[in-house]
Amino acid sequence: GDSVTQMEGPVTLSEEAFLTINCTYTATGYPSLFWYVQYPGEGLQLLLKATKADDKGSNKGFEATYRKETTSFHLEKGSVQVSDSAVYFCALSAQDSSYKLIFGSGTRLLVRP
Amino acid sequence: DGGITQSPKYLFRKEGQNVTLSCEQNLNHDAMYWYRQDPGQGLRLIYYSQIVNDFQKGDIAEGYSVSREKKESFPLTVTSAQKNPTAFYLCASSISLGRNSPLHFGNGTRLTVT
């Protein structure tokens, strides 16, 4: 079945460091791909999305490119801030499914001043 | 401000009691969802609703029930049949039941059953 695999956390970085959080997926066809962010004690917020191969989603300095050949959607940011500390979820919506988001297990990011 | 309101933020119940979690949205979204989040795991879909008076089971519906009598409201009842009810519950909505329609989430209800 369809699935999403994320790198295990926590990821601990110093402020202004470069961030990569790896995400790979298994799905038939061309799923839509998403990154959601969850701040402490809150629900999830959509960070960015990509709906077809080679699309790049970007928002708030974060970006991710839909790579069909490697079935990946890695999240990157050039310079992280303390306020970026949160849990990041990669998710997919399969081409043949109109309703279900399949989430990865989440990666906690901790940014130290 | 438009958004999704879940209440209460924290809920405590004794084992064997049913409990209802509230979810209200003023985004005028047709589709609504309930997810369960456990530590170190992704979200798992409990129930979803495409439209008023219609709802479907998700991946882990056993021990839960829902209703959708109004567009704005999608309450979730955790029954005594749910074997492991302690978790963080998230309600979400989207414009429609489409794969490119992003989900908007509430801030969640943390349920503890002892």
Side-chain angles (χ1 to χ4, degrees), chain A residues 2-110:
Chain A
D2 298 339
S3 65
V4 175
T5 302
Q6 290 182 237
M7 60 189 292
E8 284 197 24
V11 174
T12 304
L13 296 173
S14 297
E15 206 165 21
E16 299 184 2
F18 184 86
L19 168 70
T20 300
I21 298 178
N22 290 339
C23 171
T24 57
Y25 67 89
T26 301
T28 54
Y30 292 85
S32 294
L33 301 174
F34 306 84
W35 276 101
Y36 282 83
V37 58
Q38 184 178 34
Y39 297 102
E42 297 183 9
L44 279 69
Q45 302 173 25
L46 178 66
L47 183 57
L48 53 84
K49 69 175 184 177
T51 58
K52 59 183 188 296
D54 300 324
D55 264 3
K56 178 185 283 189
S58 61
N59 186 25
K60 299 181 181 179
F62 291 90
E63 57 183 36
T65 302
Y66 188 139
R67 301 284 188 203
K68 178 70 174 171
E69 63 276 15
T70 54
T71 61
S72 65
F73 193 55
H74 305 321
L75 183 68
E76 296 181 335
K77 186 176 185 183
S79 176
V80 293
Q81 306 299 313
V82 171
S83 57
D84 293 327
S85 298
V87 181
Y88 292 82
F89 290 90
C90 185
L92 72 82
S93 181
Q95 187 175 18
D96 60 353
S97 166
S98 65
Y99 67 87
K100 195 161 86 170
L101 271 184
I102 296 170
F103 286 88
S105 57
T107 302
R108 181 175 299 278
L109 170 66
L110 177 60

